[in-house]
Amino acid sequence: MSDNNSRRNFLSWLTGLGSLAFLGSIIYPAYKFLVPPESGEANVSQVKLPFTRSEIEGEEKKAKTFKFGRTLGLIVLTGEGELKAMSATCTHLDCTVQHRPDLGIIWCSCHNGRYDLDGKNISGPPPKPLELYIVNEIKGEIFVSKETA
Amino acid sequence: MIKFILIFIGLLLFSINGFGSDNNCMSCHLDLEDEGGSASKFAKDIHSQKGLGCADCHGGDPTLDDMDDVRDSKGFRGVPNHLEVPDFCARCHSDAAYMHDHNPSMPVDQLAKYKTSIHGQRLFSAKDKKVANCVSCHSVHEIGDGQMPYSSTHPSNLPATCAKCHSDKDYMTEYKIPTDQFEKYSSSVHGLALLERGDLGAPACNDCHGNHGAAPPGVSSLAAVCGVCHALEAELFEKSPHADAFLENDFPMCETCHSNHAIFKLSDNMIGTTESALCTECHAADDGTIGLPTADSILTSLNNLVMAHLDAKQSLDEAILKGMMTTNEEFLLKEVDQSLIQARTLIHSFNMDSVAPKAMEGIAKADTVMVNSAGLIDEYYFRRKGLAVASLVITFLAFMLYRKIRKIEQK
Amino acid sequence: MNGAQNNLIKKGYQWLDDRLHINSLVEYMSSKAVPQHSHSIFYYLGGITLFLFIVQVITGILLLMYYRPGADSAYESVKFIVSEVSFGWLIRAIHSWSANLMVLAAFLHMFTVFFTRAYRKPREMTWYTGMGLLALSMTFGFSGYLLPWNELAFFATRVGTGMAGAMPVIGDYLMVIMRGGEEVTGATIGRFFGLHVAILPLLTTGLLTLHMIFIQRQGMSEPMNWAGKKQEDKKYMKFFPNFIYRDALVWLVALNILALLAVIFPDGIGVVHWPLGIKADPFAAPPAVIRPEWYFMFAFQALKMLPAHIWFLEGELFGIIVFGLGGLIWMLIPLLDRRANENKRSPMIMAFGTFVVLFMVVMTIVGYLVE
């Protein structure tokens, strides 16, 4: 009889534990879901650059690349002190382009493709311009956005 | 009946172009020619589109009805023979004032350039009637500018235009030059890019040889010619120890390793110390240079990067196959691709200290891709394990509930 | 320890009972009985549907925390949910699986009620509210499908709303109202989103409450052949606790299946799938095969198979009229099946029901076989 009793006790203890585990397996994912991920929010057609103007200025080439959705972007500090951002993928064979402050152009080293600072293809193999983005500087932070139709 | 239709079409085209009854040439010439003859093609011709008519080139009075009268009329020039063609075209095309009225941006130096070319030299000095003159490349009555897709000088048609003569063994016999350029070019990286993929940025014949002043580039100018597109490689090469050595030995710069018309897809095996490597064609272990050790070091750096890239891609592919979200890693792998391209470009410095750092940079990125992909694969198994635990808990509770139901219902 | 635990529960119960008189509620439920017979299993289908609906509400609210409607944010935010948010993939997978299973359970529930003719007096209103709930579920599915704004959803919605546009008289207006314009655009997402998270939940809550009150008041329908039986030949089960426990058991099993499906096939399986794929591009060429969700397939396929003209009507219009009439007849079955109230067989109604089921099954299969 006491044997039976302790077995019943054990089973109801196990059921209680199981119920807790059950609640846990529902609450844990829901809680983790609600914890905001590092990147904060879904970046849509705008991205805040993780660096400042002075960091771009500090670069030897007066330019930095950044991630914009699935594409790589290039932000350039022109001789006139203007920030310009565009897609960094060459329209010829998908190499990554770079700023050439010495020539005042955007340059693709793969086949000497050249673009002006507005992303327009000016010489070499590139068949089309680079997509130009809109740059906004607010309180020292740089925001790059895509032109919306 | 067909003739009538042709006449009708001809009249229609000319009335569109504003000739009307002022030009009687077509009424007879279309009649006399076979279908598809040169007169009927003229509508496609750039000259026709710019408003020029038969008489503007051939002279004579186009308003006359009788052919014989036309022949006798003032300024009639008729059909030039092969040797006369360059001057026939240059009457307008070398006349800066005339060209300015029609197409101000067009150069007027074609004849001058032509005279410097092998074609021009032979035509004028040797009176060679087989070498190319203007119409050999530009066609007779279907002359288009290089932008028109049907034009014989459009980049994608140009190789075939040159090959018309240069691939004809019988035609070229007396000149004793190879006739396999087109064949080699078509299967080269450039030929495949231009002719198969339609990449108009890829060079056709004229991009290296020039057009009106066509001549093979000289040994010393090769770097500049290839450097039009391969600027970085040319720049690196010029600064490399090979620049002087090649010049002294009269080796053509790029061509020595890459060949000319048959430039094939590159392979990392071109560098190194094995027999298949190009380096060993000049360098030997005991030649007193650091050539082979450098080649060996560059190859090692490069191979390490290639292996790292391959490993990274494999583990990324596994993560993709498992249905994980890999946007960031795919992104990073693209950067490894870039490093690989750059490292291969840096070979042209022939300096082990320039390839190695770039390779290291790529390897570091490839390692990150590997680590992250491995993390994602772990995550995949973690999900399965989590599911197994949760499922087990639910099953246990369901079983306990079942027992409970059995118990109440037994009472 | 166990004793102390029990004691605590008893005290809590006592406390509540003092204030809310729970005892009388329990007594009421204990007095209720559920008929036991060979088709008793059908009684669980409504409960499963309810369970899946609760899952939908919970996962839906969670998704709402990150989802952002709009042509240039919808896709990105769903992508963000499945790639960056922890367990986001799981929540979306459960929401999608549960949605499909809920519609399935609702359909099964409806057909079992139909063929056991449980809609007969006094349960006509339960049938009407149930039909309303089924229509709401399908609208839920249709509106939710567009929200990720991916290629698959975009073209399916364009075709779906286009079919609504073929309706007589109101078609054009209805299509513009649904799409928020002439075309499926970002404006459509706004409308579908509002429908999916505000209008439909409100209506569903209302109808569901009625549906449940009716069931609680009237109890489960007894089989037709029990009418002439003696009371002692009828077998019953207590609603509380026996039936409730069984219901809970079924829910646990359903949850387990749901979890397995969501983890192993987060993007669905076979033709019932919802990969995020690429973002909708209104100017891109539509994919070769555009399919609606499986529960619209029979209607989609039937409309596709109709000839261009039937009599003086356009084929599609004719189809929509026939479907409309068919739906109306189905809905009004409690009125039409007078014999059921007298406990008589009604072979006409059964034949009609069998035809409808066969038609739906065959058309769905054909729809998936034909490209």
Side-chain angles (χ1 to χ4, degrees):
Chain A
M1 185 65 205
S2 100
D3 225 30
N4 208 353
N5 218 358
S6 73
R7 185 168 152 261
R8 194 178 307 152
N9 261 346
F10 173 71
L11 275 182
S12 69
W13 177 80
L14 209 60
T15 311
L17 197 73
S19 306
L20 280 180
F22 172 69
L23 283 179
S25 65
I26 288 173
I27 291 170
Y28 175 72
Y31 166 73
K32 288 292 270 186
F33 180 84
L34 289 175
V35 173
E38 273 172 44
S39 39
E41 59 171 344
N43 52 32
V44 183
S45 52
Q46 192 183 57
V47 64
K48 192 182 103 182
L49 300 191
F51 45 78
T52 61
R53 173 185 270 266
S54 56
E55 281 174 72
I56 302 174
E57 206 160 4
E59 287 286 321
E60 192 195 339
K61 287 185 174 156
K62 306 285 177 211
K64 269 178 105 66
T65 55
F66 58 93
K67 234 171 82 182
F68 195 2
R70 276 207 156 190
T71 53
L72 192 68
L74 179 75
I75 185 154
V76 167
L77 184 66
T78 67
E80 287 79 44
E82 202 183 339
L83 285 173
K84 299 216 176 203
M86 62 205 81
S87 154
T89 305
C90 181
T91 53
H92 179 224
L93 290 175
D94 297 344
C95 291
T96 302
V97 297
Q98 51 179 290
H99 184 211
R100 286 286 295 263
D102 51 335
L103 304 174
I105 56 157
I106 306 297
W107 187 58
C108 177
S109 64
C110 285
H111 295 103
N112 201 14
R114 288 158 188 240
Y115 305 85
D116 67 14
L117 295 180
D118 289 320
K120 204 182 161 314
N121 48 328
I122 47 174
S123 84
K128 334 183 266 231
L130 299 168
E131 191 188 351
L132 193 66
Y133 304 140
I134 299 163
V135 181
N136 281 304
E137 259 186 296
I138 299 159
K139 290 182 188 164
E141 286 178 333
I142 307 170
F143 294 88
V144 173
S145 50
K146 265 182 197 167
E147 202 157 0
T148 43
Chain B
M1 183 62 197
I2 288 171
K3 277 181 190 168
F4 282 114
I5 293 173
L6 280 173
I7 291 168
F8 178 73
I9 293 172
L11 284 174
L12 202 68
L13 287 169
F14 281 91
S15 60
I16 288 167
N17 287 320
F19 288 92
S21 57
D22 284 347
N23 187 351
N24 288 333
C25 309
M26 286 297 178
S27 40
C28 298
H29 276 273
L30 282 175
D31 235 7
L32 293 168
E33 273 178 9
D34 293 333
E35 204 180 325
S38 51
S40 65
K41 290 178 186 163
F42 189 57
K44 263 188 174 176
D45 195 292
I46 184 90
H47 297 101
S48 160
Q49 290 169 17
K50 294 275 179 187
L52 300 181
C54 312
D56 289 296
C57 293
H58 295 286
D61 184 351
T63 60
L64 298 174
D65 288 332
D66 190 279
M67 275 197 167
D68 291 328
D69 292 347
V70 175
R71 224 166 268 144
D72 295 336
S73 65
K74 198 167 163 265
F76 181 76
R77 282 181 294 278
V79 179
N81 70 33
H82 194 88
L83 298 177
E84 290 164 353
V85 168
D87 289 318
F88 186 86
C89 298
R91 195 175 60 85
C92 298
H93 278 278
S94 292
D95 181 342
Y98 180 88
M99 288 309 290
H100 186 269
D101 290 344
H102 289 81
N103 186 350
S105 69
M106 193 163 170
V108 287
D109 58 354
Q110 295 92 341
L111 181 65
K113 278 183 172 170
Y114 178 68
K115 283 179 175 162
T116 69
S117 77
I118 302 282
H119 296 141
Q121 284 170 19
R122 288 199 62 84
L123 182 120
F124 285 114
S125 56
K127 305 290 175 210
D128 187 343
K129 288 187 179 174
K130 286 175 73 181
V131 292
N133 63 15
C134 314
V135 296
S136 317
C137 300
H138 289 282
S139 87
V140 181
H141 287 116
E142 262 184 317
I143 302 171
D145 66 12
Q147 318 293 319
M148 294 170 167
Y150 57 78
S151 161
S152 55
T153 52
H154 184 269
S156 54
N157 302 329
L158 191 87
T161 300
C162 299
K164 234 175 16 181
C165 298
H166 281 275
S167 292
D168 188 333
K169 277 201 182 82
D170 299 335
Y171 195 84
M172 297 302 290
T173 338
E174 60 186 274
Y175 303 107
K176 299 190 174 56
I177 58 169
T179 51
D180 57 356
Q181 301 95 332
F182 181 68
E183 197 186 322
K184 282 180 169 171
Y185 171 80
S186 302
S187 55
S188 77
V189 275
H190 295 137
L192 290 174
L194 179 64
L195 303 174
E196 303 273 317
R197 283 208 314 275
D199 176 356
L200 298 183
C205 312
N206 65 324
D207 288 298
C208 298
H209 293 277
N211 29 30
H212 298 108
V219 167
S220 57
S221 65
L222 254 184
V225 170
C226 301
V228 168
C229 290
H230 299 280
L232 204 53
E233 287 86 347
E235 194 186 320
L236 289 165
F237 184 87
E238 302 253 33
K239 287 185 201 150
S240 81
H242 277 159
D244 288 337
F246 273 40
L247 213 58
E248 277 167 32
N249 291 299
D250 221 18
F251 292 157
M253 308 178 86
C254 315
E255 191 186 333
T256 304
C257 298
H258 293 288
S259 143
N260 45 20
H261 297 111
I263 299 174
F264 293 123
K265 204 163 164 42
L266 300 172
S267 144
D268 291 334
N269 291 332
M270 287 167 66
I271 198 163
T273 52
T274 55
E275 247 174 63
S276 64
L278 294 172
C279 307
T280 53
E281 285 185 15
C282 298
H283 285 285
D286 52 1
D287 64 359
T289 68
I290 54 162
L292 289 188
T294 306
D296 196 40
S297 151
I298 290 176
L299 183 67
T300 310
S301 294
L302 216 54
N303 278 344
N304 287 343
L305 178 55
V306 171
M307 289 307 291
H309 181 267
L310 200 70
D311 289 345
K313 189 161 179 348
Q314 269 173 1
S315 59
L316 179 59
D317 283 347
E318 196 187 336
I320 293 172
L321 201 69
K322 295 226 182 316
M324 307 305 288
M325 268 287 170
T326 51
T327 321
N328 289 342
E329 285 66 37
E330 284 168 45
F331 197 84
L332 202 56
L333 192 68
K334 269 194 207 157
E335 287 188 26
V336 182
D337 291 336
Q338 289 296 318
S339 298
L340 194 54
I341 293 174
Q342 287 167 2
R344 283 175 175 154
T345 301
L346 284 169
I347 293 175
H348 297 94
S349 67
F350 301 105
N351 180 343
M352 55 178 111
D353 296 334
S354 63
V355 180
K358 186 50 81 179
M360 294 305 287
E361 189 188 306
I363 290 169
K365 281 176 183 160
D367 285 347
T368 314
V369 174
M370 278 259 284
V371 170
N372 291 0
S373 302
L376 287 172
I377 295 165
D378 285 348
E379 163 81 11
Y380 171 83
Y381 288 111
F382 170 75
R383 286 177 185 183
R384 303 271 141 152
K385 280 179 203 151
L387 168 74
V389 172
S391 184
L392 219 63
V393 168
I394 297 172
T395 311
F396 170 73
L397 285 183
F399 174 73
M400 291 311 287
L401 200 58
Y402 173 74
R403 265 176 52 102
K404 181 103 180 164
I405 294 166
R406 285 273 306 266
K407 223 165 92 186
I408 352 177
E409 292 188 352
Q410 269 169 9
K411 277 179 190 169
Chain C
M1 178 218 151
N2 205 22
Q5 202 183 10
N6 278 344
N7 228 0
L8 205 69
I9 292 171
K10 264 183 195 148
K11 266 191 182 161
Y13 181 81
Q14 194 63 43
W15 189 89
L16 276 177
D17 189 45
D18 283 349
R19 286 156 183 82
L20 296 171
H21 308 291
I22 295 183
N23 246 339
S24 61
L25 201 66
V26 172
E27 264 163 39
Y28 169 73
M29 288 202 292
S30 316
S31 70
K32 276 180 45 166
V34 178
Q36 259 187 307
H37 50 88
S38 57
H39 295 145
S40 284
I41 195 154
F42 293 160
Y43 294 140
Y44 298 100
L45 282 170
I48 293 175
T49 315
L50 175 65
F51 167 72
L52 292 169
F53 178 71
I54 294 168
V55 171
Q56 285 308 84
V57 172
I58 295 168
T59 51
I61 288 172
L62 286 175
L63 290 172
L64 204 50
M65 302 287 151
Y66 293 101
Y67 179 74
R68 286 164 49 176
D72 47 34
S73 59
Y75 176 83
E76 284 78 0
S77 64
V78 175
K79 187 163 187 170
F80 180 74
I81 290 172
V82 294
S83 59
E84 310 241 347
V85 181
S86 352
F87 291 103
W89 61 274
L90 181 67
I91 305 291
R92 176 170 185 250
I94 292 180
H95 195 73
S96 306
W97 267 115
S98 177
N100 283 285
L101 294 177
M102 182 176 106
V103 174
L104 179 69
F107 264 109
L108 292 178
H109 182 43
M110 175 187 76
F111 282 119
T112 53
V113 167
F114 183 90
F115 286 109
T116 54
R117 297 161 83 202
Y119 50 76
R120 66 190 185 277
K121 191 185 167 194
R123 295 186 175 78
E124 302 99 317
M125 291 200 297
T126 322
W127 171 264
Y128 299 142
T129 49
M131 285 296 289
L133 285 168
L134 181 72
L136 287 174
S137 310
M138 290 172 75
T139 320
F140 258 123
F142 184 67
S143 57
Y145 198 56
L146 177 71
L147 298 185
W149 196 241
N150 52 7
E151 195 190 29
L152 218 66
F154 174 78
F155 287 104
T157 305
R158 197 155 82 172
V159 173
T161 49
M163 281 188 170
M167 274 208 246
V169 192
I170 55 160
D172 287 338
Y173 301 100
L174 185 70
M175 194 176 81
V176 170
I177 296 283
M178 280 166 82
R179 288 182 174 177
E182 293 289 337
E183 276 300 323
V184 176
T185 59
T188 320
I189 304 183
R191 274 152 200 261
F192 276 39
F193 178 67
L195 192 67
H196 194 82
V197 306
I199 301 171
L200 292 177
L202 192 73
L203 293 178
T204 307
T205 310
L207 269 188
L208 192 60
T209 312
L210 284 177
H211 197 74
M212 305 278 288
I213 289 174
F214 295 157
I215 294 163
Q216 285 307 315
R217 287 302 292 173
Q218 299 173 330
M220 299 293 190
S221 156
E222 292 182 6
M224 299 267 295
N225 58 11
W226 275 27
K229 269 193 182 171
K230 278 181 266 169
Q231 199 59 32
E232 52 269 33
D233 289 341
K234 298 178 184 175
K235 253 181 87 185
Y236 291 97
M237 173 197 297
K238 276 184 169 178
F239 179 75
F240 184 86
N242 300 42
F243 188 76
I244 288 284
Y245 275 171
R246 282 164 186 257
D247 237 359
L249 181 60
V250 170
W251 286 23
L252 275 179
V253 172
L255 179 66
N256 211 349
I257 292 171
L258 198 57
L260 285 167
L261 288 173
V263 175
I264 298 174
F265 308 109
D267 278 344
I269 184 172
V271 290
V272 186
H273 67 152
W274 44 84
L276 189 53
I278 58 168
K279 187 176 170 170
D281 176 3
F283 302 111
V289 188
I290 303 175
R291 283 176 179 149
E293 293 200 86
W294 59 269
Y295 40 86
F296 292 117
M297 195 56 175
F298 75 96
F300 178 77
Q301 182 58 29
L303 289 179
K304 230 168 60 174
M305 281 166 73
L306 287 172
H309 287 278
I310 297 169
W311 299 325
F312 56 94
L313 290 171
E314 267 182 55
E316 213 170 52
L317 181 60
F318 175 84
I320 286 172
I321 292 172
V322 170
F323 274 119
L325 284 176
L328 196 68
I329 293 172
W330 191 261
M331 173 106 188
L332 297 178
I333 276 293
L335 287 178
L336 299 171
D337 189 8
R338 299 236 183 82
R339 297 168 63 92
N341 297 345
E342 298 156 21
N343 273 311
K344 286 187 195 153
R345 303 172 134 261
S346 22
M348 284 278 287
I349 299 289
M350 290 301 107
F352 174 59
T354 313
F355 169 75
V356 168
V357 173
L358 279 178
F359 175 79
M360 287 170 83
V361 170
V362 169
M363 278 299 162
T364 305
I365 291 171
V366 170
Y368 283 115
L369 291 183
V370 180
E371 291 279 294

